[in-house]
Amino acid sequence: MKNYDAIVIGSGVGGFSAVFELKTAGLKVAIVESDLWGGTCPNRGCDPKKVLMAAVEAKHKVNALSGKGFEADASIDWEELMAFKKTFTDPVSSERKAALEKAGIDYYAGQAEFSDPHQIIVNDEQLQAKQFLIATGQRASILPLEGQEYIQTSSDFLELEHLPKRITFIGAGYIALELATIANAAGAQVEVIHHNDQPLKEFDRELVTELVDYLTKQGVRFTFNVDVEQVEVMRPGYRLVGDNFETVTDMVIGATGRIPNVEALSLEKAGVTYSKKGIEVNDHLQTSAPHIFACGDVLAKVRPKLTPVSVFEGEYVAQVMTGKTSHAIDYPLIPTIVFGAKKLARVGLAEKTIQKSDGKYHSRTLDLASWFTYARINDELAKIKFVYDENDTIVAITCLSSLADELINQLTLVLNQKISHAELKKMIIGYPTTASDLEYLV
Ligand SMILES: Cc1cc2nc3c(=O)[nH]c(=O)nc-3n(C[C@H](O)[C@H](O)[C@H](O)COP(=O)(O)OP(=O)(O)OC[C@H]3O[C@@H](n4cnc5c(N)ncnc54)[C@H](O)[C@@H]3O)c2cc1C
């Protein structure tokens, strides 16, 4: 039986960043992966999505300047775009394994399952360790309805060789809206069905409504307050049926949430407690079994389940496991972005906290469309909303524009570092950019 100081289960961004830190600290480490090396983000998450999104952004930029220097109406060639996407995703697994080999980290392909608190089994092989890190992430949850076998996931969408004529998304979270944006820009007839009237519920209502209106004008059909109850196969296509509702489509993508990968681990045998939200940890990311830690999307946590958060936790937990820190994890502000031709980006208090606050906060919305940064690219929908507490301190910011992803990161930096207006005025920042607008915003 092989013995290690630490074994990491899951090779996503969380597990991967931890395993290298553990190795660098001199521990004898191994990592186990049951599927694609590199996990969700580079294989079937952020990265392939953003490659497809580049075409959406380019199309939007050209079309926004139609009659202002450009004449052609840009269109997307799906097959070519997917071939481009594959140049990013195809090499990921082998590159990750090569990096592990180069670093001298043992790696095992297979599903890890605890047989006792200090031992896991991978493909009939028993591996022992003093410490473990569980970083097994999440997978798409599929609604338990009649015909659920016909519902596909974001992973299927990101692998689509040919774009169907009609695509229906069930759910209106960020993944559904981003993929709907891509499908719409690439020429599909897109419909988004949501069980209530609150798409992107963590985001500011006012600017979400603006984004939904914008997408509707682009041709995305939104249907709110409908519970899909059944998916029937029609050959060709599918019929989705709900209460007083029916629609026909060629592809159904379920984007109704993600569930933590915990069942296969036999956590009971290790004494690790979990709920349907994920593995429970203390503020040192330690599970109910003190030598077993967890990080990333598999956690039951209030923080957003995003790549930089998993990386932050992976790096932190490696410090705890090697005794380099005994401090509780201290999260900085976390920006969240819905990508698209128009990005919706936020940082600070979530919408539901603001809504529940009973008038404690006040807000200010600025229309930025006439600002030079946006006017020069003819970005007609460019807004920013600040929410303040009683002391006029900013508690939340939401931006909506084609540059909102860059702007929110700059604003997050300003808020995290508590950079004042006076300090911004002392800096010289390249003009004209979103960053050179900062002194007029904060
Ligand atoms: C479509 C989509 C788009 C996204 N876009 C963004 C974005 O734009 N920005 C952003 O920040 N985040 C985005 N995310 C979220 C981001 O991908 C995740 O937050 C991040 O990848 C989580 O990393 P992780 O290491 O916690 O888990 P994962 O990357 O999911 O890795 C977990 C790994 O553990 C493996 N595993 C599971 N069980 C076992 C087992 N028993 N034994 C061995 N291995 C096991 C899995 O196969 C997997 O490879 C997106 C996600 C999706 C699905």
Side-chain angles (χ1 to χ4, degrees):
M1 186 187 315
K2 286 256 178 71
N3 272 288
Y4 292 95
D5 294 320
I7 295 177
V8 175
I9 306 173
S11 76
V13 288
F16 219 70
S17 41
V19 82
F20 280 87
E21 294 264 333
L22 295 169
K23 176 70 184 173
T24 308
L27 268 60
K28 188 178 177 209
V29 283
I31 185 164
V32 188
E33 172 56 57
S34 60
D35 192 3
L36 294 175
W37 290 89
T40 306
C41 179
N43 289 299
R44 44 174 76 117
C46 341
D47 293 358
K49 175 197 77 187
K50 276 282 273 183
V51 175
L52 303 185
M53 203 60 94
V56 178
E57 290 169 328
K59 176 179 164 138
H60 171 258
K61 276 189 178 164
V62 169
N63 288 347
L65 291 178
S66 159
K68 294 177 172 59
F70 272 102
E71 277 177 20
D73 183 14
S75 63
I76 292 173
D77 181 319
W78 185 261
E79 282 75 25
E80 259 185 43
L81 179 60
M82 286 309 273
F84 182 51
K85 187 227 75 167
K86 277 172 175 283
T87 64
F88 292 87
T89 49
D90 283 358
V92 172
S93 247
S94 49
E95 279 172 9
R96 293 297 194 274
K97 280 192 282 186
L100 292 167
E101 235 157 65
K102 194 167 172 221
I105 296 169
D106 286 359
Y107 59 92
Y108 297 86
Q111 192 143 286
E113 182 186 348
F114 281 93
S115 49
D116 73 44
H118 283 279
Q119 192 170 297
I120 56 168
I121 300 173
V122 184
N123 303 329
D124 297 332
E125 190 166 358
Q126 294 178 348
L127 308 174
Q128 270 196 343
K130 295 186 194 114
Q131 298 186 101
F132 290 88
L133 172 60
I134 303 170
T136 49
Q138 303 187 103
R139 64 186 183 281
S141 72
I142 297 292
L143 286 175
L145 44 82
E146 203 180 318
Q148 67 177 90
E149 63 275 26
Y150 304 122
I151 301 179
Q152 294 182 274
T153 67
S154 57
S155 303
D156 299 311
F157 179 88
L158 293 169
E159 289 292 328
L160 267 182
E161 301 246 329
H162 307 288
L163 188 71
K165 202 166 153 226
R166 300 164 297 183
I167 305 186
T168 300
F169 293 86
I170 309 178
Y174 83 95
I175 292 178
L177 260 59
E178 290 178 336
L179 302 188
T181 297
I182 294 169
N184 166 256
Q189 288 168 28
V190 177
E191 183 171 18
V192 174
I193 304 172
H194 196 46
H195 66 116
N196 61 30
D197 61 357
Q198 299 198 346
L200 301 170
K201 67 178 186 308
E202 295 296 308
F203 285 77
D204 178 82
R205 287 274 68 82
E206 181 188 343
L207 295 191
V208 169
T209 304
E210 297 258 16
L211 178 63
V212 168
D213 288 350
Y214 166 80
L215 290 173
T216 305
K217 279 188 202 129
Q218 299 301 306
V220 177
R221 186 144 59 97
F222 286 90
T223 305
F224 293 123
N225 296 311
V226 161
D227 279 312
V228 176
E229 288 160 5
Q230 196 184 343
V231 181
E232 287 169 20
V233 71
M234 289 178 66
R235 299 188 212 289
Y238 305 93
R239 191 196 335 264
L240 274 63
V241 184
D243 194 17
N244 282 324
F245 173 83
E246 201 180 295
T247 195
V248 174
T249 188
D250 299 313
M251 183 180 200
V252 188
I253 305 281
T256 48
R258 295 177 60 79
I259 42 174
N261 295 321
V262 286
E263 303 84 353
L265 290 162
S266 293
L267 291 174
E268 304 74 19
K269 293 184 184 157
V272 172
T273 56
Y274 63 95
S275 68
K276 64 178 193 309
K277 289 188 174 156
I279 296 179
E280 284 148 16
V281 287
N282 63 16
D283 57 10
H284 286 74
L285 304 189
Q286 198 168 27
T287 70
S288 50
H291 66 292
I292 302 179
F293 296 79
C295 76
D297 279 12
V298 76
L299 295 181
K301 61 179 174 182
V302 290
R303 299 289 182 316
K305 294 190 172 183
L306 294 170
T307 283
V309 185
S310 288
V311 172
F312 185 85
E313 290 168 349
E315 287 173 355
Y316 162 81
V317 82
Q319 303 263 314
V320 178
M321 291 169 77
T322 51
K324 285 187 184 157
T325 186
S326 57
H327 292 297
I329 189 161
D330 183 13
Y331 292 92
L333 287 169
I334 302 168
T336 313
I337 303 163
V338 185
F339 291 100
K342 301 284 171 194
K343 287 99 178 169
L344 184 66
R346 58 168 288 270
V347 69
L349 293 184
E351 179 66 3
K352 63 174 182 265
T353 316
I354 296 166
Q355 295 290 344
K356 278 192 204 146
S357 71
D358 228 9
K360 186 173 158 201
Y361 303 112
H362 57 284
S363 66
R364 179 174 70 120
T365 306
L366 291 179
D367 192 336
L368 304 175
S370 63
W371 290 34
F372 182 69
T373 309
Y374 303 92
R376 85 180 172 87
I377 52 172
N378 199 25
D379 200 353
E380 287 168 343
L381 181 59
K383 294 196 172 175
I384 185 164
K385 182 166 178 177
F386 295 93
V387 178
Y388 306 89
D389 66 11
E390 304 95 327
N391 305 316
D392 283 339
T393 303
I394 295 170
V395 293
I397 307 177
T398 308
C399 315
L400 174 64
S401 75
S402 60
L403 305 173
D405 49 345
E406 300 301 340
L407 181 59
I408 205 71
N409 281 333
Q410 291 151 5
L411 287 163
T412 304
L413 188 71
V414 167
L415 296 187
N416 258 326
Q417 300 305 312
K418 298 189 172 48
I419 301 172
S420 67
H421 176 76
E423 283 163 332
L424 271 173
K425 292 279 290 174
K426 282 188 213 155
M427 297 179 198
I428 293 179
I429 295 173
Y431 169 88
T433 58
T434 50
S436 58
D437 290 340
L438 286 176
E439 65 167 294
Y440 307 104
L441 292 171
V442 292

